[in-house]
Amino acid sequence: MVWTQTSVSVKTAAATPNRWDLAALPLVVGLLALAAVGGHQMAAPLASLDAPAVSLDPWNLPDYALRSTLRMLAAMVASLLFTFTYATLAAKSRRAGMVLIPVLDVLQSVPVLGYISFTVVFFLSLFPGSVLGAECAAIFAIFTSQAWNMTFSVYQSLRSVPRDLDEAATSFRFSGWQRFWRLEAPFAMPGLVWNMMMSMSGGWFFVVASEAITVGDRTVTLPGIGSYLAEAIAQKDLGAVGWAVLAMLAVILLYDQFLFRPLVAWADKFRFEQTGAQEAPGSWVLRLFQRTRVCRSLLAPVEALLGRVAWLRLSPLSSLAAALPPTLRRRPAGPPSLALERTLDRAWYAVVAAAALALGWTLVSFIAGGAGWGDVGTALLLGAATLLRVMVLIAIASLVWVPLGVLIGLRPRLAEAVQPLAQFLAAFPANLLFPVAVVTILRFDLNPDVWLSPLMILGTQWYILFNVVAGTAAFPSDLKEAASSFRIRGWQWWRDVMLPGVFPYYLTGAVTAAGGSWNASIVAEAVRWGDAEVTAHGLGSYIAQATAAGDYPRIVLGIAVMSLFVTLLNRLLWRPLYGYAERRLRLA
């Protein structure tokens, strides 16, 4: 089995700089200097934003790009911490998973833009008089657009670890800590890296909203590409919009080369297969740092420390028990009885049911204060209309992107070429197409219920593509070689080899794409450009109209109905498919 981690062995005499260090060290120093400058600006006094924070002068875009990129990277770090904690707990604990996965379903369906109004006051009060409070509010809003699909990806990977690897870890008597860092986290890494790329691209849409924060009658505008683009749209300055799109493309190309392409090449060594890959992805940045001496010598202690931490057993209670006198030691307990398990399950169900009833009663009481049964019926009918759109759009996107994702994933060189283009298309702000949609629908008298629907999937279809590419890239080469040697071709190859192999990854992409489409319906079903407005019948337009009117009971009603539809869809469709993938399509 080819699954190795390279170790760095550096001698003191070899720490003299070579020609590769002369190229790598300026890159490292430059990146650290840019991060320091951006961090210093984030800690400025809040009064510094009272002046016009955004100028449409294109020469300001490099500084704005730095600020926006640092916010997105900070949100990415927070998303990684949340992902490993939340997904591991949900995958390892059956009782915790019963609650955490439905909660995750609800979180990805709740409108991301709604988080800002609830969190901005908290962060501004946490850092009074400092820009850091507004920065944290913006970072949190971006975090809510990044974390969910990454969590679903790691959860799916942890639930589908090959049985022989799991048995090997058991035979080596790995502790839970060792099993996670030596087996489960590496196995989840290829899919996670591709979902990180999708999260960075998807976060661009919410950068526009998160960099202009309104608190009461005051608007705090943070310098960045998002606020620059919002100001350009408000002034209908198409030239400035073009400069913003070009700056976004430049930033995507830079972090693709310096961050994600090295990560994809590094994560390829964690692929599970019995033979070596015929063609592996590469990265000039990764090769550059692998050939350096000083940089590798500086990183060697960090790598050694991380390796030691990964091998820790972390069992202080067992060590303490071993130090006790034999008469005070507790005999090792056997597996819990079936009756005890059932009792614990019933107690847990009771606690969950009580919490759900309390939350439900609170929601019903709040909604009843401004809405009646007629509003509930209207919201349910509009929710059914949006559900139909979501399912049709997911089916169409699957028919398009699953075959293309497989073809891209089978060719690492093609994946390297398509990777930045796909990230740019996924990051392209959908609101730039609103004027085209409004003018086209009004000009040709088209049906908004049909022709506004593509806007819902425009930014979320890429979840399917990125996950299918990740699943194809992680598909074992020995299985592909076996299919080739048995001359399995055509539809049989798709049906019996590749589609079962990428199906768990496709499910992750479909679930997050569906949740993102529900979220996007709020801005896609009610589109405005200037004085012209086009509205489709759906739950998204219902929530958008209630938000514009400040009707909080109907806002909560719409969000509750949306969460109900998403939860039922996941329970009745996606979760059974996840179970099928775990039982029938798991690598043995």
Side-chain angles (χ1 to χ4, degrees), residues 240-260:
V241 170
W243 282 113
V245 173
L246 287 177
M248 187 184 302
L249 175 61
V251 171
I252 291 172
L253 290 174
L254 285 174
Y255 69 60
D256 173 71
Q257 291 292 323
F258 288 96
L259 178 62
F260 288 121

Side-chain angles (χ1 to χ4, degrees), residues 212-225:
I213 304 172
T214 300
V215 184
D217 57 351
R218 181 182 181 184
T219 298
V220 178
T221 302
L222 297 172
I225 292 182

Side-chain angles (χ1 to χ4, degrees), residues 252-253 417-426:
I252 291 172
L253 290 174
V418 173
Q419 185 174 313
L421 176 61
Q423 290 183 71
F424 175 72
L425 293 176

Side-chain angles (χ1 to χ4, degrees), residues 328-340:
L328 297 181
R329 294 178 190 173
R330 184 179 177 181
R331 293 182 179 180
S337 64
L338 183 60
L340 178 59

